[in-house]
Amino acid sequence: MEISSKENTQFFSYNTVLPVDRSSFKSESSASKGKQSCCGGIKIFLGALSFVYFAKALSGSYLKSTITQIERRFDIPSSLVGIIDGSFEIGNLLIIILVSYFGAKLHRPRIIGAGCLIMSAGTFLIAMPQFFMGRYRYERFTSTINSTASISPCLQDKSQTPLSSLEKSQAKINAGCEKEAGSSMWVYVLLGNLLRGIGETPIQPLGITYIDDYAIEENAALYIGCVQTVAIIGPIFGFLLGSLCAKLYVDIGFVDLDSVTITHKDVQWVGAWWLGYLIAGVISVLAGIPFWFLPKHLPNPERRKDSSTSSEQSKFITEDNKDQHKFYQQQVKITEMAKGKPLEFLSDYFLPSLKSLFGNPVYILYLCASIIQFNSLIGMVTYKPKYIEQQYGQTSSKTNFVIGLINKPAVAFGIFSGGLIMKKFRINVLGAAKLSLGSSFFGYLLLLSLFAMGCENSDVAGLTVSYHGTKQMTDYEQALFSECNSGCACSKNDWDPICGENGVTYISACLAGCHASNGSGKNTVFFNCSCVGTSESPSQSSSAVVGPCQKGNECPKKFLYFLVISVITSYTLSVGGTPGYILLLRCIKPHLKSFALGIYTLAIRVLAGIPAPVYFGVAIDTTCLKWGSKRCGGRGACRLYDSSALRYVYLGLTLMLGTVSIFFSVAVLWVLRKRSSSHDENLSTNGESGTCGTKSRKDNLVNSDHLIQTTYWPEKETRL
């Protein structure tokens, strides 16, 4: 008989108001009545909590889908976008200690409802810059906007442009600069995401403990499994919503769409990123309403007695129940001490508990492995849409659709498979460590194959190839000018790409040496372009059309290979999430579980959730070949990346961190082997490990929820 019964009894003895012995004096009818009342109330709470998990998962994943849109709309680099993304974790950390210590003693449903309102307010705040910062302006040659103007792209003499038009254009630019100089609208996005983090904090700890306190033991696993399933569905809808909004122009409803001269395939295209936040905010408001009408307490459920518990285990149960009851009685004293005597609280409770945890080699090694692995996975997930767009030339809409419809279900199936394997084969704690290690090893091994599935750089004159078709040398900025466009008054800061009939992209019609144009808008065709010529006769003048050239014919095929490997990798990494988390729960003392999980979550958020998007963004920025320029001067968002450098930086950084985490996982396995006796099921009976069993149904369900919150997101989908 496994010691799971022991842990179940411990867990419930801690959370139950009435002692176990008093339940035997209840009449059969009153017990039945209480059970029905409990079931009805807990099911209503379950439905409301599932909807909240869906809402917060949807808004979190939608933020991921709009990373590139926000970067282009506010003309900011990837490193700054990383700070915006990490602000959610900062907001979460601001009140996580207060919620952990004092939230359970208050009206938990109403605190969750208040959190939903705060979360929705933050979501609405993210969308507000759209209504304050004016219409989106992209770089386009004058003749592609106004068909009445007949201007040569190659401005050999600026007198070709009417003076009134130049003055008018300059006046508009100056007015825009005065407006932009006084505000940085991306700050609203950062503050909104920070507010989202604050509102999300009480949902997980208070919601799951409420179910744990009042659900019947046989149904608790099913209930939290339902919450987990809905939480996984949320990101699927979040990315699909991001795909839909990315197809819509950013200023839809405010401008005439016929006047827009770019398509959603253009690198300057910005979708209606703000629209999804309004939808997500409304959903969050609706999700929080039911919690204001739920009671603070529900009738306590009947305990399921395990008649097959051995006498030796019963002895342990009795002793541990006494310890847990004593610990429960001390909580009020500890709380008062924390309020009135913080120094005594630190010396008598906090520091000894912290010392006990950090003296556990399994816990500390697993914590280090998790921190490094989360750095790897969080950075990879945050910039995965950007990587797909830049590496394979895909649109934001298609990228979000693929991630939401293909990768997310693979993650869900992987998490489910991990738990199923643990239950099916009755894997103990040592087996859980092996399964977690094997999952990470094969997952990163698959990720290694993606190095061979990258596309070559697009042929961009002056950046990746010379104007004569040969590979580019070193100084990109000086190479933008050549003999073929030396007679034109061009600016190297412009980004208005055209595609020559030779298959080479030119940064602007002026730098392509085009002297005439025909048509307007998306149908503009440039003629007599001195820099556009075939390799056989480079001096031959040719034509070009608006927009960059598509990548080579091999790139779509490599993108399909990438999707297949990405899905398999997502599944493989997700399989190890559940066993790894069970390992964490089993190898700490029972009365330190909440504290240990709090330290674990805090460490992941501070050391992985916040810094990973930032330094990944900084590394990605180093691969930029052409930066955009703001109207008032200064560097904007990146327009073109070096595909090869981006692949090596993005995948290389991910794999390097993943490899280090595997070494720590090997160390965890080595310590467990060293501690194990001849019987694996008795692995955790020594001092620091507490109860290191692996088949407790209660810990399985606790693991499921924490897996969603820490190893899954909604904010950090680290198993993608």
Side-chain angles (χ1 to χ4, degrees):
M1 184 67 177
E2 297 295 331
I3 61 175
S4 59
S5 301
K6 170 184 173 182
E7 292 198 10
N8 285 339
T9 309
Q10 290 173 346
F11 204 98
F12 277 88
S13 64
Y14 174 81
N15 291 292
T16 311
V17 177
L18 295 176
V20 181
D21 296 336
R22 293 183 61 183
S23 63
S24 60
F25 296 101
K26 292 183 179 180
S27 64
E28 196 68 30
S29 59
S30 62
S32 177
K33 181 178 179 180
K35 185 176 181 180
Q36 292 176 359
S37 175
C38 167
C39 290
I42 199 65
K43 287 182 179 178
I44 295 175
F45 182 86
L46 174 66
L49 187 66
S50 298
F51 191 26
V52 168
Y53 266 69
F54 173 82
K56 71 189 187 75
L58 183 145
S59 60
S61 57
Y62 183 77
L63 176 69
K64 295 291 184 186
S65 72
T66 58
I67 286 294
T68 56
Q69 308 291 310
I70 292 175
E71 182 177 329
R72 296 170 187 172
R73 182 65 179 97
F74 297 98
D75 254 345
I76 54 179
S78 297
S79 56
L80 193 53
V81 172
I83 296 176
I84 293 174
D85 183 76
S87 63
F88 177 89
E89 306 294 343
I90 298 175
N92 209 291
L93 290 173
L94 291 178
I95 64 170
I96 192 172
I97 296 179
L98 295 175
V99 170
S100 299
Y101 277 107
F102 306 112
K105 305 186 185 314
L106 303 175
H107 198 301
R108 284 179 284 183
R110 290 184 180 176
I111 294 178
I112 294 175
C116 291
L117 293 180
I118 296 174
M119 188 168 60
S120 64
T123 307
F124 287 132
L125 182 61
I126 294 176
M128 287 302 102
Q130 172 64 23
F131 305 98
F132 299 139
M133 63 188 303
R135 306 285 76 84
Y136 175 59
R137 294 183 176 88
Y138 50 87
E139 299 176 41
R140 271 295 176 262
F141 177 62
T142 306
S143 66
T144 65
I145 301 175
N146 186 358
S147 60
T148 60
S150 178
I151 305 173
S152 170
C154 181
L155 293 175
Q156 297 177 348
D157 185 357
K158 290 187 177 181
S159 62
Q160 296 182 46
T161 304
L163 185 60
S164 59
S165 298
L166 289 174
E167 291 176 345
K168 184 177 180 181
S169 177
Q170 189 63 38
K172 289 183 178 180
I173 293 176
N174 293 336
C177 288
E178 291 176 2
K179 183 177 181 180
E180 289 183 355
S183 62
S184 297
M185 289 295 179
W186 60 266
V187 175
Y188 289 94
V189 181
L190 185 145
L191 294 177
N193 202 33
L194 185 79
L195 205 58
R196 280 187 58 249
I198 294 175
E200 188 267 349
T201 304
I203 295 175
Q204 180 264 329
L206 301 187
I208 296 303
T209 55
Y210 195 90
I211 291 179
D212 181 62
D213 287 346
Y214 301 115
I216 299 174
E217 184 178 353
E218 300 86 67
N219 297 334
L222 175 63
Y223 290 165
I224 295 184
C226 293
V227 173
Q228 175 184 1
T229 302
V230 175
I232 295 174
I233 294 175
I236 297 176
F237 281 86
F239 273 95
L240 292 180
L241 179 62
S243 175
L244 175 63
C245 293
K247 280 187 177 180
L248 307 176
Y249 185 62
V250 58
D251 292 324
I252 186 172
F254 300 96
V255 299
D256 182 10
L257 297 182
D258 293 334
S259 63
V260 179
T261 60
I262 58 176
T263 66
H264 66 280
K265 297 180 180 180
D266 196 289
V267 72
Q268 294 188 82
W269 174 270
V270 176
W273 61 275
W274 52 273
L275 184 59
Y277 288 109
L278 297 181
I279 297 174
V282 172
I283 294 176
S284 297
V285 171
L286 296 177
I289 293 176
F291 290 96
W292 295 97
F293 303 98
L294 290 170
K296 182 178 181 180
H297 299 292
L298 291 175
N300 290 301
E302 289 295 306
R303 294 224 181 135
R304 178 175 59 84
K305 297 181 179 180
D306 193 342
S307 59
S308 60
T309 304
S310 65
S311 60
E312 185 68 20
Q313 287 174 334
S314 298
K315 179 181 178 181
F316 289 147
I317 292 172
T318 303
E319 293 175 354
D320 288 329
N321 279 339
K322 292 179 181 179
D323 293 338
Q324 292 292 348
H325 184 65
K326 181 180 179 181
F327 179 76
Y328 179 79
Q329 289 178 330
Q330 291 175 345
Q331 284 196 43
V332 176
K333 181 179 178 181
I334 291 173
T335 303
E336 294 299 325
M337 188 185 299
K339 292 180 180 179
K341 301 177 181 179
L343 294 180
E344 292 185 17
F345 169 75
L346 288 175
S347 62
D348 296 344
Y349 176 73
F350 184 81
L351 293 180
S353 299
L354 196 63
K355 182 179 179 180
S356 178
L357 285 179
F358 286 173
N360 185 344
V362 176
Y363 178 81
I364 195 67
L365 286 173
Y366 182 79
L367 180 63
C368 292
S370 297
I371 290 173
I372 298 174
Q373 186 180 42
F374 278 111
N375 273 273
S376 169
L377 297 177
I378 287 172
M380 181 184 70
V381 170
T382 301
Y383 294 101
K384 190 170 189 176
K386 172 187 281 291
Y387 179 77
I388 294 177
E389 290 178 34
Q390 294 293 332
Q391 186 69 215
Y392 301 102
Q394 303 297 320
T395 64
S396 297
S397 177
K398 185 175 181 179
T399 299
N400 293 328
F401 181 81
V402 165
I403 293 177
L405 202 62
I406 298 179
N407 280 79
K408 297 297 180 179
V411 173
F413 188 52
I415 294 174
F416 174 78
S417 299
L420 186 63
I421 292 172
M422 292 290 296
K423 180 179 179 180
K424 179 74 173 177
F425 298 98
R426 297 181 175 271
I427 297 177
N428 59 18
V429 68
L430 190 60
K434 292 178 181 178
L435 183 57
S436 178
L437 174 61
S439 170
S440 297
F441 177 77
F442 287 108
Y444 285 108
L445 197 63
L446 287 169
L447 204 61
L448 185 64
S449 64
L450 295 182
F451 278 102
M453 299 176 188
C455 296
E456 297 295 329
N457 283 318
S458 300
D459 291 339
V460 182
L463 292 180
T464 61
V465 296
S466 70
Y467 281 88
H468 299 290
T470 59
K471 292 299 180 183
Q472 183 54 44
M473 306 300 178
T474 54
D475 196 337
Y476 295 129
E477 292 296 333
Q478 294 182 359
L480 292 178
F481 299 99
S482 180
E483 294 180 0
C484 59
N485 57 30
S486 59
C488 302
C490 303
S491 171
K492 65 180 181 181
N493 296 324
D494 291 340
W495 178 262
D496 186 12
I498 63 171
C499 179
E501 64 179 27
N502 58 351
V504 177
T505 299
Y506 297 86
I507 291 179
S508 67
C510 182
L511 288 172
C514 300
H515 292 78
S517 63
N518 185 20
S520 62
K522 305 170 187 177
N523 300 319
T524 303
V525 179
F526 298 94
F527 298 100
N528 298 328
C529 303
S530 57
C531 295
V532 180
T534 61
S535 57
E536 292 81 7
S537 54
S539 61
Q540 178 183 357
S541 297
S542 301
S543 61
V545 295
V546 173
C549 300
Q550 297 298 316
K551 289 204 171 186
N553 296 330
E554 294 296 322
C555 200
K557 185 184 297 184
K558 290 184 178 180
F559 178 58
L560 293 178
Y561 296 152
F562 169 84
L563 290 181
V564 173
I565 298 298
S566 178
V567 169
I568 299 175
T569 302
S570 299
Y571 172 80
T572 305
L573 290 174
S574 299
V575 167
T578 302
Y581 209 72
I582 286 181
L583 170 64
L584 173 66
L585 290 173
R586 292 294 187 272
C587 292
I588 49 181
K589 292 180 179 179
H591 67 278
L592 290 178
K593 281 185 179 180
S594 297
F595 184 68
L597 291 174
I599 295 296
Y600 179 85
T601 303
L602 181 68
I604 294 299
R605 292 185 183 278
V606 173
L607 302 178
I610 296 175
V614 178
Y615 67 75
F616 262 81
V618 172
I620 289 174
D621 282 342
T622 62
T623 67
C624 184
L625 294 178
K626 180 68 173 69
W627 289 97
S629 299
K630 296 182 179 180
R631 296 200 317 262
C632 305
R635 194 174 72 176
C638 184
R639 304 301 188 191
L640 180 69
Y641 289 89
D642 185 334
S643 296
S644 299
L646 176 63
R647 181 168 68 255
Y648 288 117
V649 166
Y650 174 77
L651 296 178
L653 192 54
T654 300
L655 285 169
M656 182 185 68
L657 292 169
T659 302
V660 176
S661 72
I662 288 176
F663 281 111
F664 277 102
S665 298
V666 171
V668 171
L669 184 60
W670 181 80
V671 172
L672 287 175
R673 281 185 176 275
K674 188 177 179 181
R675 287 175 136 192
S676 63
S677 60
S678 58
H679 300 285
D680 290 339
E681 64 272 13
N682 295 326
L683 173 69
S684 61
T685 56
N686 55 33
E688 291 299 323
S689 296
T691 55
C692 261
T694 56
K695 299 181 180 65
S696 167
R697 179 181 303 179
K698 174 60 63 177
D699 282 343
N700 278 338
L701 66 91
V702 172
N703 163 72
S704 298
D705 172 69
H706 285 290
L707 180 64
I708 289 294
Q709 294 304 316
T710 58
T711 65
Y712 177 62
W713 14 321
E715 282 315 307
K716 301 296 176 197
E717 188 197 350
T718 57
R719 296 298 172 189
L720 179 58

